[in-house]
Amino acid sequence: MDLAFKEKIDKLISEVSEVTDLPTKIAVLNYIQQESGFLLWQLEDEQRIDEDSRDY
């Protein structure tokens, strides 16, 4: 993983960890999880399309 991305992610996680309001913290973490899951799905779909195009 690129060090710059890791540092940004670590900083974001640290900021979320400092939130004292539990419902807000849960909402933020759920949002991060939802968005990262969607991004992963998109990337996996692009990878499948790329692999399929190489088969021809």
Side-chain angles (χ1 to χ4, degrees):
M1 176 186 309
D2 183 83
L3 183 59
F5 281 118
K6 183 180 182 323
E7 289 173 352
K8 289 176 185 180
I9 293 168
D10 289 345
K11 182 180 178 191
L12 178 61
I13 297 300
S14 292
E15 288 181 30
V16 172
S17 296
E18 293 173 8
V19 173
T20 57
D21 182 57
L22 188 57
T24 300
K25 186 184 287 190
I26 290 170
V28 169
L29 291 173
N30 281 334
Y31 180 74
I32 291 170
Q33 184 179 28
Q34 174 187 343
E35 292 300 307
S36 63
F38 180 69
L39 181 58
L40 181 59
W41 173 81
Q42 284 182 314
L43 293 173
E44 289 171 342
D45 194 44
E46 287 178 26
Q47 185 178 28
R48 279 191 295 275
I49 291 169
D50 185 54
E51 289 170 356
D52 289 346
S53 68
R54 291 180 191 174
D55 291 339
Y56 294 104

